[in-house]
Amino acid sequence: MQQRGVRTVRSLIAYYSRSGENLVNGVVQYLGIGNTEVLAYILRRFTGADIFRIQPVTDYSENYFRCIDQARQDLQRNYMPPLKEYPKHFREYQVIYLGYPNYWGTMPMPVYTFLSQMDLSGKIIKPFCTHEGGGMGRSEQEIRKLCPQAQIMEGLPICGTGLNYELSDIEEWAQETNTTSDILSRRNLQ
């Protein structure tokens, strides 16, 4: 039951993920669902947040080697591909869980497009990243550059092949975010 005068903090999980051939333990394997999408839905269980998939108009190739080459070229050219859609009612969200795989030490360019097109002023951004050894890379610094008016919290790097083994770390990180959301909610009431 919501207390009178207390606003509920709304959260959104916005993520980019790619199925198809991916690198798993150093070997290219086909994944029907990308690791970041799996992690996004795990976080949804822990947070109850709404969910939105960041999708470029033209997807990267399902072939792993073509995909990484396309991603490298986009990054080098600073090409931000257009997206199919953007979340509705975005202003209502105070906390944004932002998920992506590590591409070339940072985020895929569709995530750059998302961040550059959305007004994230005053929002809390909680990045999470799947990787096969590169961690968060420089993505947190890039988010800070793109979103100087947002509060960027510590990110969660999860090795894609370790998703099932790191559930307690994922849940703990989500709980820290919930505590942050509670603080934000109280701050907005003052």
Short mmCIF file of all heavy atoms in Angstrom, two decimals, residues 158-187:
data_model
loop_
_atom_site.label_atom_id
_atom_site.label_comp_id
_atom_site.label_asym_id
_atom_site.label_seq_id
_atom_site.Cartn_x
_atom_site.Cartn_y
_atom_site.Cartn_z
N ILE A 158 29.09 -8.31 -16.18
CA ILE A 158 28.84 -9.74 -15.99
C ILE A 158 29.37 -10.49 -17.20
O ILE A 158 29.00 -10.19 -18.34
CB ILE A 158 27.33 -10.04 -15.82
CG1 ILE A 158 26.79 -9.40 -14.54
CG2 ILE A 158 27.05 -11.53 -15.84
CD1 ILE A 158 27.22 -10.08 -13.25
N CYS A 159 30.23 -11.45 -16.95
CA CYS A 159 30.72 -12.31 -18.03
C CYS A 159 29.52 -13.10 -18.56
O CYS A 159 28.80 -13.74 -17.79
CB CYS A 159 31.81 -13.24 -17.50
SG CYS A 159 32.50 -14.29 -18.79
N GLY A 160 29.28 -13.01 -19.87
CA GLY A 160 28.11 -13.65 -20.47
C GLY A 160 27.99 -15.12 -20.14
O GLY A 160 26.90 -15.63 -19.89
N THR A 161 29.11 -15.81 -20.09
CA THR A 161 29.06 -17.25 -19.79
C THR A 161 28.84 -17.51 -18.31
O THR A 161 28.59 -18.64 -17.92
CB THR A 161 30.35 -17.95 -20.25
OG1 THR A 161 31.47 -17.29 -19.66
CG2 THR A 161 30.46 -17.94 -21.76
N GLY A 162 28.90 -16.46 -17.47
CA GLY A 162 28.73 -16.64 -16.03
C GLY A 162 27.39 -16.18 -15.50
O GLY A 162 27.21 -16.08 -14.30
N LEU A 163 26.44 -15.89 -16.40
CA LEU A 163 25.14 -15.37 -15.96
C LEU A 163 24.50 -16.23 -14.87
O LEU A 163 24.01 -15.72 -13.88
CB LEU A 163 24.17 -15.26 -17.14
CG LEU A 163 24.34 -14.04 -18.02
CD1 LEU A 163 23.48 -14.16 -19.26
CD2 LEU A 163 24.01 -12.78 -17.27
N ASN A 164 24.50 -17.53 -15.05
CA ASN A 164 23.85 -18.41 -14.08
C ASN A 164 24.60 -18.49 -12.76
O ASN A 164 24.02 -18.80 -11.73
CB ASN A 164 23.69 -19.82 -14.66
CG ASN A 164 22.69 -19.83 -15.79
OD1 ASN A 164 21.76 -19.05 -15.81
ND2 ASN A 164 22.90 -20.72 -16.75
N TYR A 165 25.90 -18.20 -12.80
CA TYR A 165 26.72 -18.32 -11.59
C TYR A 165 26.78 -17.04 -10.79
O TYR A 165 27.23 -17.04 -9.65
CB TYR A 165 28.15 -18.76 -11.96
CG TYR A 165 28.15 -20.02 -12.78
CD1 TYR A 165 28.44 -19.99 -14.14
CD2 TYR A 165 27.85 -21.25 -12.20
CE1 TYR A 165 28.43 -21.15 -14.89
CE2 TYR A 165 27.83 -22.41 -12.95
CZ TYR A 165 28.13 -22.34 -14.30
OH TYR A 165 28.11 -23.49 -15.05
N GLU A 166 26.36 -15.94 -11.38
CA GLU A 166 26.49 -14.65 -10.73
C GLU A 166 25.15 -14.06 -10.32
O GLU A 166 25.03 -12.85 -10.11
CB GLU A 166 27.25 -13.70 -11.65
CG GLU A 166 28.66 -14.24 -11.96
CD GLU A 166 29.52 -13.26 -12.73
OE1 GLU A 166 29.48 -12.06 -12.42
OE2 GLU A 166 30.26 -13.72 -13.62
N LEU A 167 24.13 -14.90 -10.14
CA LEU A 167 22.80 -14.40 -9.79
C LEU A 167 22.80 -13.62 -8.48
O LEU A 167 22.11 -12.61 -8.35
CB LEU A 167 21.79 -15.55 -9.72
CG LEU A 167 21.39 -16.14 -11.07
CD1 LEU A 167 20.46 -17.34 -10.87
CD2 LEU A 167 20.73 -15.09 -11.95
N SER A 168 23.58 -14.06 -7.50
CA SER A 168 23.60 -13.34 -6.22
C SER A 168 24.21 -11.95 -6.40
O SER A 168 23.75 -10.98 -5.79
CB SER A 168 24.34 -14.13 -5.14
OG SER A 168 25.69 -14.32 -5.50
N ASP A 169 25.25 -11.82 -7.24
CA ASP A 169 25.83 -10.50 -7.52
C ASP A 169 24.83 -9.60 -8.23
O ASP A 169 24.72 -8.40 -7.93
CB ASP A 169 27.09 -10.63 -8.39
CG ASP A 169 28.25 -11.29 -7.67
OD1 ASP A 169 28.25 -11.30 -6.42
OD2 ASP A 169 29.16 -11.78 -8.37
N ILE A 170 24.08 -10.17 -9.16
CA ILE A 170 23.07 -9.41 -9.90
C ILE A 170 21.99 -8.92 -8.94
O ILE A 170 21.60 -7.75 -8.96
CB ILE A 170 22.47 -10.27 -11.03
CG1 ILE A 170 23.55 -10.63 -12.06
CG2 ILE A 170 21.30 -9.55 -11.70
CD1 ILE A 170 23.15 -11.72 -13.03
N GLU A 171 21.52 -9.81 -8.08
CA GLU A 171 20.47 -9.44 -7.12
C GLU A 171 20.98 -8.37 -6.16
O GLU A 171 20.27 -7.40 -5.87
CB GLU A 171 19.98 -10.66 -6.35
CG GLU A 171 18.82 -10.33 -5.43
CD GLU A 171 18.23 -11.55 -4.76
OE1 GLU A 171 18.90 -12.61 -4.71
OE2 GLU A 171 17.09 -11.45 -4.28
N GLU A 172 22.20 -8.51 -5.66
CA GLU A 172 22.76 -7.51 -4.73
C GLU A 172 22.86 -6.15 -5.41
O GLU A 172 22.51 -5.12 -4.82
CB GLU A 172 24.14 -7.98 -4.27
CG GLU A 172 24.80 -7.04 -3.28
CD GLU A 172 26.17 -7.55 -2.85
OE1 GLU A 172 26.31 -8.76 -2.61
OE2 GLU A 172 27.09 -6.72 -2.77
N TRP A 173 23.32 -6.12 -6.66
CA TRP A 173 23.42 -4.87 -7.41
C TRP A 173 22.04 -4.24 -7.59
O TRP A 173 21.87 -3.04 -7.43
CB TRP A 173 24.09 -5.15 -8.75
CG TRP A 173 24.31 -3.96 -9.62
CD1 TRP A 173 25.30 -3.03 -9.52
CD2 TRP A 173 23.53 -3.58 -10.75
NE1 TRP A 173 25.19 -2.10 -10.53
CE2 TRP A 173 24.11 -2.42 -11.30
CE3 TRP A 173 22.40 -4.12 -11.37
CZ2 TRP A 173 23.59 -1.78 -12.42
CZ3 TRP A 173 21.89 -3.49 -12.49
CH2 TRP A 173 22.47 -2.34 -13.00
N ALA A 174 21.05 -5.06 -7.91
CA ALA A 174 19.68 -4.56 -8.07
C ALA A 174 19.15 -3.99 -6.76
O ALA A 174 18.49 -2.96 -6.75
CB ALA A 174 18.76 -5.67 -8.58
N GLN A 175 19.45 -4.64 -5.63
CA GLN A 175 19.01 -4.14 -4.33
C GLN A 175 19.66 -2.80 -4.01
O GLN A 175 19.02 -1.93 -3.45
CB GLN A 175 19.32 -5.17 -3.22
CG GLN A 175 18.50 -6.43 -3.33
CD GLN A 175 17.01 -6.18 -3.36
OE1 GLN A 175 16.50 -5.33 -2.64
NE2 GLN A 175 16.30 -6.89 -4.22
N GLU A 176 20.93 -2.63 -4.36
CA GLU A 176 21.60 -1.34 -4.16
C GLU A 176 20.88 -0.25 -4.95
O GLU A 176 20.72 0.86 -4.47
CB GLU A 176 23.07 -1.41 -4.59
CG GLU A 176 23.93 -2.24 -3.67
CD GLU A 176 25.33 -2.48 -4.23
OE1 GLU A 176 25.67 -1.88 -5.28
OE2 GLU A 176 26.05 -3.26 -3.62
N THR A 177 20.44 -0.59 -6.12
CA THR A 177 19.72 0.37 -6.95
C THR A 177 18.38 0.70 -6.31
O THR A 177 17.95 1.84 -6.31
CB THR A 177 19.52 -0.18 -8.37
OG1 THR A 177 20.80 -0.50 -8.90
CG2 THR A 177 18.86 0.85 -9.26
N ASN A 178 17.70 -0.29 -5.76
CA ASN A 178 16.42 -0.04 -5.10
C ASN A 178 16.61 0.91 -3.93
O ASN A 178 15.79 1.79 -3.70
CB ASN A 178 15.78 -1.35 -4.64
CG ASN A 178 15.27 -2.16 -5.81
OD1 ASN A 178 15.07 -1.65 -6.90
ND2 ASN A 178 15.09 -3.44 -5.59
N THR A 179 17.69 0.75 -3.18
CA THR A 179 17.99 1.66 -2.08
C THR A 179 18.20 3.07 -2.62
O THR A 179 17.70 4.04 -2.07
CB THR A 179 19.24 1.18 -1.31
OG1 THR A 179 18.98 -0.14 -0.82
CG2 THR A 179 19.56 2.10 -0.15
N THR A 180 18.92 3.19 -3.71
CA THR A 180 19.14 4.49 -4.34
C THR A 180 17.81 5.09 -4.78
O THR A 180 17.57 6.27 -4.60
CB THR A 180 20.08 4.34 -5.56
OG1 THR A 180 21.29 3.76 -5.12
CG2 THR A 180 20.34 5.67 -6.23
N SER A 181 16.93 4.26 -5.32
CA SER A 181 15.61 4.73 -5.74
C SER A 181 14.81 5.26 -4.56
O SER A 181 14.12 6.26 -4.67
CB SER A 181 14.83 3.60 -6.42
OG SER A 181 15.52 3.14 -7.55
N ASP A 182 14.92 4.58 -3.42
CA ASP A 182 14.23 5.03 -2.21
C ASP A 182 14.73 6.41 -1.79
O ASP A 182 13.96 7.29 -1.42
CB ASP A 182 14.42 4.04 -1.06
CG ASP A 182 13.72 2.71 -1.30
OD1 ASP A 182 12.82 2.66 -2.17
OD2 ASP A 182 14.09 1.72 -0.64
N ILE A 183 16.05 6.61 -1.86
CA ILE A 183 16.64 7.90 -1.51
C ILE A 183 16.14 8.97 -2.47
O ILE A 183 15.76 10.06 -2.05
CB ILE A 183 18.19 7.82 -1.53
CG1 ILE A 183 18.67 6.90 -0.40
CG2 ILE A 183 18.83 9.20 -1.44
CD1 ILE A 183 20.12 6.50 -0.50
N LEU A 184 16.11 8.67 -3.76
CA LEU A 184 15.64 9.62 -4.75
C LEU A 184 14.18 9.98 -4.48
O LEU A 184 13.80 11.14 -4.53
CB LEU A 184 15.77 9.03 -6.17
CG LEU A 184 15.23 9.89 -7.30
CD1 LEU A 184 16.06 11.15 -7.44
CD2 LEU A 184 15.22 9.12 -8.59
N SER A 185 13.37 8.99 -4.16
CA SER A 185 11.96 9.23 -3.89
C SER A 185 11.79 10.18 -2.71
O SER A 185 11.03 11.13 -2.76
CB SER A 185 11.24 7.91 -3.62
OG SER A 185 9.89 8.14 -3.37
N ARG A 186 12.55 9.95 -1.63
CA ARG A 186 12.46 10.82 -0.46
C ARG A 186 12.97 12.22 -0.80
O ARG A 186 12.40 13.21 -0.36
CB ARG A 186 13.26 10.23 0.70
CG ARG A 186 12.57 9.03 1.34
CD ARG A 186 13.20 8.67 2.67
NE ARG A 186 14.60 8.26 2.53
CZ ARG A 186 15.02 7.02 2.30
NH1 ARG A 186 14.13 6.05 2.17
NH2 ARG A 186 16.29 6.74 2.21
N ARG A 187 14.04 12.32 -1.59
CA ARG A 187 14.59 13.61 -1.98
C ARG A 187 13.56 14.42 -2.77
O ARG A 187 13.42 15.61 -2.58
CB ARG A 187 15.84 13.41 -2.82
CG ARG A 187 16.52 14.74 -3.18
CD ARG A 187 17.74 14.54 -4.02
NE ARG A 187 17.31 14.18 -5.35
CZ ARG A 187 18.06 13.60 -6.26
NH1 ARG A 187 19.31 13.30 -5.98
NH2 ARG A 187 17.61 13.31 -7.45
#
